[in-house]
Amino acid sequence: MSGRLPARPGEAIDRGRPLTIDFEGRRAPAFEGDTVGSALAAAGVTITGRSFKYHRPRGLMCMTGACPNCLMQIDGIPNVRSCTEPVREGMRVERQNAWPSVDRDVHGVLDSFSFMMPPGFYYKVFQRPRWAWSKVEPIIRKQAGLGKVPRTEDHEPREVVNLHADVAVIGGGLAGLAAAAEAAAAGASTVLLEQRREAGGRALGSADDVDRARLVAEAEASGARILLGTAAFGVFDGPVVAAVGGGGLQRIRARHLVFATGAVEQPAVFPNNDLPGVMLSSAVELLVNRFRVLPGRRAVVLTSNQDGYRAARTLRDAGADVFVVDLRAGAGSADGLRVIPGSTILSAKGRRGVTAVSVGAPGSATGQSIPCDLVVLAGFSAPSTNLLAMTGAKLGFDDDAQAFLPVELPPDVHAVGAVAGARTVQGAIAQGRLAGLEAAAAVGQEPPGAAGRMEVLRAQAAERGDPVVLPPEVATGEGKQFACLCMDVTSKELKAAAAEGFDSMELLKRYTTVSMGPCQGKACMLSAQRLCARAAGSSFAETRPTTARPPWTPVELGALAGWRRTPRKETTIHDLHADSGATFMWAGDWRRPHHFATPEQEVEAVRHRVGVIDVSTLGKFRVKGPEAVELLERLYPNRFGDLAVGRVRYGAMLNDEGVILDDGAVCRVGDDEFFVTVTTGNTAALERWITWWLADWRLDVRVLNVTGAFAALNLAGPDSRKVMSVLTDADVSSEAVKYMSASSFEVAGVPSLVLRIGFVGELGYEIHFPSMYGEHVWRAVMEAGRPFGIVPFGLEAQRVLRLEKQHILVGQDTDAESDPFEVGLGWMVKADKPDFLGRRALEDLAEAGPKERLVGFTCDPSWLPPEGASVVHEGVWVGRVTSARRSAAARSVVGLAWVPAGWAEDDTEIEIQFGGAHAKAKVALKPFYDPEGARLRS
Amino acid sequence: MGLKIPCPNCGPRDHTEFWFGGELRPIEAPDAREDFRRVYLRDNAPGPQRERWYHLYGCRRWLTISRDTTTNRIGD
Ligand code: FES
Ligand SMILES: [Zn+2]
């Protein structure tokens, strides 16, 4: 059964524009306007995939993107719902989840071994013995699962779009179109979101297109902004509606939300209800009326309302042989259709597609067999309340609708159409119009005469259709009865799980994975809830639907991620570094030179002559105000009240737990002004930290982050004073510019703050100046230093140099538990001063004494222990290495490591181990280079 | 996702511009026991909560709001 029915007005395909798609290496014809699903159906493909667990064949079921049956790999992207995916010339389409092919999947034998996969089998089977799981898991993972993740780069980055409106209508069926048309016509700015590429919802498949065409035209003319192909997947606080479509993520903020999300048709549960050829009426109507494909020649329609008769007429008019099985005892033959009243489908038969059904009175053991190649389940549906429930709307069971409907809505939230229980087209449209008018009025756009119209609409909106009759349960017979197609959960498994005590929807869901698959309950909520109720001995009305959570429709992660942006900061001297061939590395958000020549050459130059490093990335704060001293005294355990103007003190900030947050230089540059430097990567966090406390302390002081405003260089080495004297007219003698001083003078003609401090352990100057002069000062320094053999040095050389001096790096050598006593900074804690951050914790820590200590060590240079290497004692882990480098000055490896406090003594032997390698090392508490600091002070 | 925070300096802004600073807690405590509570324990109670937000991508100031942790409604 392939090919197309004769053309009819209103069909979706454009027969004048044929194209071809590549279906598993074969060429399949299609027309513009087709979806992949409809094109394949026309080509006679009835098996669209294999099921998740048992690898059973599955075919098109809903044609609306609400079930898992038609997921395919399209142009490399897995899990695309082929039934709604428009065709494009040459697109590559493959079915998934089968080996070697969907048509002959060898794993289909799993179906016969299903006794091995009871509900919760993930939790039960293969857990003992332990080793078995590691063997079995990869095999299970390969068989179960959906599609292949593409290995290549993700495609285009996605936009994130923010939309603002008075009224947002979610769902472009008839009710949604009516709401949008009214609200926009009244003058409210209105957005309508419709997930399909065409508006009309359920009416899209109907043979007569009058209502739909009229409402689409009206909505378009009203000025409403209609976003097609845009699927709302979540409602968040604000409220914000999140939707995917239009090439990215849409975030819609509106004052009023109108939910017109409709209802999803649901399958009935009977043995082999998952066979290809068992379809919902939505699929049949769309295939026949829109795509002109007849999905079967001999059809049995199971129904209890008008939907079934409409589908039956559609099929009959297209030339099929049709039986209607009506659940209602009183149903008579209508419209010349053959009707079997008071009956249901007891089971279906077939292997690769349905070949017959057994029909009989509910509860009977046997029935009459009717050969058929199509079974249509028509008119059973579940309102799509998920998005609505995310607003906080309360749902309650409605007997007439046999469904959970909204009974209480949050302010400014409206529900219209099938989601609100409307069962007639006219009722749904009236509800939509009414909500549109109400929302417009509420935002101050009430059109003249609205009151009268609303009166009339209210009466029409209250119109209800016939009560719903749902198919009865069928006794367990031959063949599986699927409640959840995504996860392959059968009614028998649900009953078994309920018998084990998992007897509420929430528990069943977690235990059996029912409704946890790609459809997220769209195609199974009704069956799952009803079966759960029966298994638990309660009624449908007493079950509670599971909590609605985003995403309601599948969302590509790329859409949520949006653009990938990696912030990247460069100092104002960056281009010069690049010109001189620096190799860069990341340091937080910054790009910094790792080395220029080789780190060894750079170290050698700094130790014997002079070097310069760009330290513009240092965090810098200006702290100014009458209570500046008070602020620092509270932030640091150090004392600053006695720091003279023009002097620098090393300080470390602690948190409430006495843990070191950061360290750096605090310079007094005036009576009530300080210049504070902090570690590059900590700047933003410290700004938050300091201003957090300031918000409570309310001291009379301003803290300004001037990191970007100032560039900084560290000029270091025995010849650095000579270079300085070329760069400035100021007196830079050791008497004028003392160790640990902060002086202001011009360097290369630029007003600078010069700190005589030395992280690298040599005579040195940290020069801070306005960052716009970065290149100028750098060039001047290189020029002045040339006669002395100056070299620029990078981070790697700096690390070696600082390690030779045992200067710690907070965050590298310390962690979230390190206190000042442990790292040898106990001297800076001034216990006799008034309260400061961490004081209480330090008192306890001081009393207990440190359990571990950060100590220096040396070991043989034949092996460089990596950071994180273990310190072991008699085979037991007792500590770890935080930094280690080869040092020419010490003629060995030098490093820092955490060891038990008792071992913090010179020459204690420790053993370092990593992987198979190990080395003997010796504790050294004094710096490896210039232990007395004579060079620093010179 | 759609929480809007009223910044006294910048006006109402999307919460993605902010850094959450947690529930407001005392800045000092009379004794060690209370200080332990202050540092390590949080009430984390449903209902209105006084809390701090830092306007990271705006004025870089801390502000204090009252937010209902069950509804996200911000008020006083
Ligand atoms: S047939 Fe495509 S999702 Fe159901
Ligand atoms: Zn602000």
Side-chain angles (χ1 to χ4, degrees):
Chain A
M1 149 218 7
S2 53
R4 304 275 183 169
L5 295 161
R8 78 180 273 278
E11 66 183 19
I13 50 172
D14 181 348
R15 296 183 196 237
R17 294 161 73 194
L19 46 81
T20 4
I21 61 174
D22 176 326
F23 177 63
E24 296 175 351
R26 282 177 281 155
R27 289 159 55 85
F31 293 115
E32 193 67 46
D34 257 324
T35 67
V36 174
S38 66
L40 293 180
V45 176
T46 53
I47 299 178
T48 51
R50 287 273 170 173
S51 74
F52 179 70
K53 202 158 87 187
Y54 301 127
H55 286 247
R56 286 166 67 102
R58 297 275 163 85
L60 285 183
M61 189 179 89
C62 70
M63 277 304 279
T64 56
C67 76
N69 282 11
C70 72
L71 298 181
M72 295 189 192
Q73 190 112 8
I74 295 186
D75 284 338
I77 301 173
N79 304 327
V80 179
R81 287 162 294 176
S82 60
C83 69
T84 54
E85 184 69 16
V87 289
R88 293 179 302 275
E89 176 65 44
M91 74 199 307
R92 280 179 304 109
V93 178
E94 279 169 277
R95 291 172 292 186
Q96 41 188 47
N97 198 22
W99 186 86
S101 80
V102 168
D103 290 324
R104 357 206 134 268
D105 175 19
V106 297
H107 295 132
V109 297
L110 281 175
D111 200 12
S112 324
F113 288 99
S114 54
F115 63 89
M116 279 177 60
M117 291 187 246
F121 85 101
Y122 305 101
Y123 309 118
K124 292 177 182 160
V125 185
F126 308 123
Q127 298 293 331
R128 298 254 182 302
R130 274 263 159 220
W131 59 264
W133 179 242
S134 63
K135 302 270 179 295
V136 172
E137 190 201 2
I139 301 170
I140 292 184
R141 292 257 183 265
K142 190 172 168 194
Q143 284 170 10
L146 298 155
K148 293 186 216 81
V149 178
R151 297 266 168 215
T152 48
E153 271 276 287
D154 184 24
H155 21 101
E156 289 296 285
R158 315 296 205 288
E159 286 294 349
V160 177
V161 180
N162 290 290
L163 289 176
H164 299 264
D166 291 327
V167 182
V169 181
I170 297 131
L174 299 185
L177 285 167
E182 288 293 345
S189 71
T190 304
V191 187
L192 174 93
L193 308 176
E194 167 52 42
Q195 61 177 354
R196 298 203 224 173
R197 283 165 179 83
E198 244 177 318
R202 187 63 216 270
L204 267 174
S206 97
D208 120 55
D209 205 30
V210 183
D211 284 330
R212 189 185 82 89
R214 223 188 37 230
L215 273 169
V216 168
E218 187 186 336
E220 278 169 356
S222 71
R225 184 160 175 195
I226 300 175
L227 301 179
L228 298 175
T230 304
F233 66 84
V235 183
F236 299 85
D237 291 311
V240 171
V241 177
V244 273
L249 179 70
Q250 311 272 337
R251 291 195 291 206
I252 301 106
R253 287 194 171 79
R255 293 159 73 184
H256 281 253
L257 298 180
V258 180
F259 288 85
T261 43
V264 183
E265 242 189 338
Q266 303 282 302
V269 181
F270 51 82
N272 298 320
N273 60 338
D274 66 326
L275 280 171
V278 178
M279 285 188 191
L280 301 175
S281 73
S282 62
V284 167
E285 290 191 309
L286 284 164
L287 281 172
V288 175
N289 290 327
R290 300 283 293 163
F291 300 109
R292 304 303 284 149
V293 177
L294 185 58
R297 300 221 166 270
R298 234 180 117 76
V300 174
V301 179
L302 176 67
T303 192
S304 61
N305 62 26
Q306 282 317 305
D307 290 358
Y309 288 85
R310 213 177 55 217
R313 278 195 301 273
T314 292
L315 283 166
R316 184 196 57 196
D317 296 350
D321 207 6
V322 187
F323 283 94
V324 177
V325 177
D326 196 320
L327 295 167
R328 298 167 301 183
S333 87
D335 225 352
L337 289 161
R338 279 171 295 182
V339 178
I340 307 173
S343 292
T344 190
I345 295 181
L346 300 170
S347 68
K349 275 188 202 47
R351 283 197 71 79
R352 294 161 49 79
V354 63
T355 53
V357 288
S358 164
V359 170
S364 54
T366 54
Q368 128 192 44
S369 174
I370 305 178
C372 59
D373 58 1
L374 177 64
V375 173
V376 186
L377 307 172
F380 319 120
S381 63
S384 301
T385 50
N386 278 48
L387 290 170
L388 192 53
M390 290 177 207
T391 66
K394 301 255 176 315
L395 306 179
F397 190 76
D398 185 290
D399 261 322
D400 276 356
Q402 285 292 297
F404 286 85
L405 297 176
V407 288
E408 201 185 310
L409 296 171
D412 308 337
V413 170
H414 313 252
V416 299
V419 73
R423 289 197 297 283
T424 68
V425 169
Q426 294 321 317
I429 296 175
Q431 288 182 1
R433 290 196 186 281
L434 183 60
L437 279 175
E438 282 173 349
V443 299
Q445 303 282 1
E446 183 167 331
R453 279 194 63 213
M454 278 153 81
E455 196 70 25
V456 176
L457 287 169
R458 242 172 235 124
Q460 292 173 1
E463 181 190 318
R464 294 246 157 172
D466 297 333
V468 168
V469 180
L470 293 176
E473 187 183 16
V474 172
T476 342
E478 282 292 293
K480 293 188 171 65
Q481 308 189 28
F482 285 90
C484 168
L485 291 167
C486 294
M487 305 306 287
D488 263 3
V489 182
T490 64
S491 64
K492 194 169 146 196
E493 286 166 343
L494 283 179
K495 278 180 207 161
E500 285 183 50
F502 301 93
D503 56 359
S504 76
M505 254 325 274
E506 293 282 5
L507 289 176
L508 271 180
K509 176 172 174 173
R510 281 158 182 74
Y511 189 59
T512 65
T513 70
V514 66
S515 82
M516 293 204 334
C519 92
Q520 285 292 293
K522 285 190 198 66
C524 56
M525 208 32 102
L526 181 68
S527 334
Q529 262 179 286
R530 292 178 72 210
L531 287 166
C532 167
R534 274 195 222 111
S538 61
S539 71
F540 185 17
E542 288 166 307
T543 61
R544 290 235 320 270
T546 56
T547 307
R549 293 188 182 88
W552 165 241
T553 21
V555 184
E556 271 183 85
L557 289 176
L560 297 180
W563 284 79
R564 283 161 299 181
R565 298 189 198 276
T566 311
R568 165 198 173 95
K569 294 181 185 169
E570 294 172 354
T571 75
T572 53
I573 316 172
H574 182 92
D575 290 350
L576 292 186
H577 302 330
D579 288 347
S580 46
T583 300
F584 290 93
M585 62 177 283
W586 287 104
D589 294 343
W590 292 92
R591 296 293 284 163
R592 298 194 64 183
H594 178 268
H595 60 267
F596 292 83
T598 70
E600 292 75 18
Q601 287 168 342
E602 294 168 17
V603 168
E604 192 267 343
V606 174
R607 288 282 180 245
H608 297 103
R609 296 183 301 280
V610 60
V612 61
I613 180 169
D614 178 2
V615 291
S616 304
T617 61
L618 276 174
K620 309 171 201 77
F621 293 102
R622 207 173 149 202
V623 179
K624 186 169 167 41
E627 290 180 298
V629 170
E630 179 65 19
L631 173 66
L632 297 175
E633 292 277 0
R634 293 192 196 185
L635 285 174
Y636 289 84
N638 311 66
R639 200 189 310 280
F640 291 105
D642 61 352
L643 186 66
V645 173
R647 300 295 299 165
V648 182
R649 189 165 284 167
Y650 172 71
M653 271 184 264
L654 312 178
N655 70 10
D656 298 273
E657 301 166 63
V659 166
I660 302 174
L661 287 178
D662 196 70
D663 65 345
V666 178
C667 321
R668 190 160 199 169
V669 292
D671 268 338
D672 61 355
E673 182 171 355
F674 290 80
F675 183 78
V676 175
T677 66
V678 299
T679 313
T680 296
N682 274 348
T683 314
L686 286 169
E687 184 180 3
R688 279 201 303 275
W689 174 254
I690 296 169
T691 51
W692 161 280
W693 286 102
L694 213 43
D696 279 316
W697 292 337
R698 299 187 177 273
L699 297 171
D700 189 0
V701 53
R702 297 279 173 276
V703 176
L704 189 63
N705 182 347
V706 292
T707 302
F710 290 92
L713 308 179
N714 182 14
L715 179 68
D719 288 339
S720 56
R721 182 175 288 122
K722 294 178 197 152
V723 179
M724 268 314 262
S725 58
V726 179
L727 287 164
T728 181
D729 296 336
D731 178 0
V732 291
S733 66
S734 57
E735 295 75 40
V737 179
K738 291 201 183 71
Y739 180 56
M740 295 305 265
S741 70
S743 344
S744 297
F745 53 81
E746 286 188 359
V747 176
V750 176
S752 305
L753 178 67
V754 178
L755 316 180
R756 242 208 80 186
I757 53 180
F759 189 49
V760 298
E762 298 288 347
L763 167 66
Y765 304 86
E766 200 172 278
I767 311 163
H768 295 259
F769 54 94
S771 53
M772 63 190 292
Y773 297 111
E775 294 196 352
H776 165 74
V777 176
W778 179 266
R779 281 204 183 97
V781 167
M782 293 303 288
E783 189 59 38
R786 186 175 330 210
F788 306 96
I790 194 169
V791 302
F793 64 104
L795 274 185
E796 179 58 20
Q798 182 181 259
R799 284 181 178 175
V800 175
L801 293 162
R802 69 97 190 173
L803 208 49
E804 288 176 341
K805 290 293 293 178
Q806 293 195 2
H807 288 157
I808 65 163
L809 278 180
V810 173
Q812 162 91 29
D813 301 307
T814 69
D815 59 26
E817 300 205 315
S818 311
D819 66 59
F821 304 118
E822 294 173 325
V823 302
L825 293 178
W827 58 266
M828 68 167 54
V829 178
K830 302 291 182 244
D832 57 339
K833 72 173 201 170
D835 204 11
F836 58 86
L837 292 177
R839 183 196 176 105
R840 185 112 51 181
L842 288 188
E843 282 167 8
D844 291 348
L845 290 166
E847 204 180 300
K851 286 198 189 58
E852 288 188 296
R853 289 280 307 275
L854 182 69
V855 298
F857 70 86
T858 57
C859 68
D860 190 271
S862 57
W863 178 56
L864 179 66
E867 281 149 18
S870 304
V871 176
V872 294
H873 178 62
E874 293 179 349
V876 179
W877 188 95
V878 291
R880 67 190 168 87
V881 172
T882 60
S883 300
R885 288 289 187 276
R886 288 199 172 85
S887 158
R891 288 202 184 77
S892 67
V893 161
V894 299
L896 292 167
W898 285 94
V899 298
W903 299 14
E905 253 174 68
D906 273 325
D907 297 329
T908 305
E909 296 217 343
I910 59 174
E911 197 179 341
I912 294 171
Q913 183 181 300
F914 187 84
H918 57 100
K920 293 232 179 303
K922 265 195 185 140
V923 171
L925 297 181
K926 284 241 163 59
F928 311 106
Y929 178 78
D930 185 25
E932 308 308 327
R935 301 177 69 92
L936 206 54
R937 282 169 232 273
S938 65
Chain B
M1 186 176 186
L3 190 60
K4 272 205 182 148
I5 312 269
C7 173
N9 301 316
C10 314
R13 295 303 184 97
D14 197 285
H15 81 280
T16 52
E17 291 184 11
F18 292 80
W19 171 283
F20 182 52
E23 63 182 70
L24 206 58
R25 50 192 171 118
I27 54 167
E28 48 201 333
D31 54 42
R33 208 187 147 71
E34 277 305 302
D35 201 44
F36 178 84
R37 285 188 54 82
R38 179 185 75 81
V39 175
Y40 293 105
L41 304 182
R42 301 288 180 272
D43 288 340
N44 194 26
Q49 162 173 290
R50 305 264 299 157
E51 61 192 20
R52 281 259 163 87
W53 290 78
Y54 179 70
H55 200 181
L56 182 59
Y57 300 113
C59 59
R60 300 217 301 247
R61 295 292 147 135
W62 286 98
L63 48 112
T64 306
I65 57 170
S66 171
R67 179 182 63 100
D68 190 311
T69 55
T70 57
T71 62
N72 269 343
R73 207 165 284 272
I74 296 170
D76 234 42

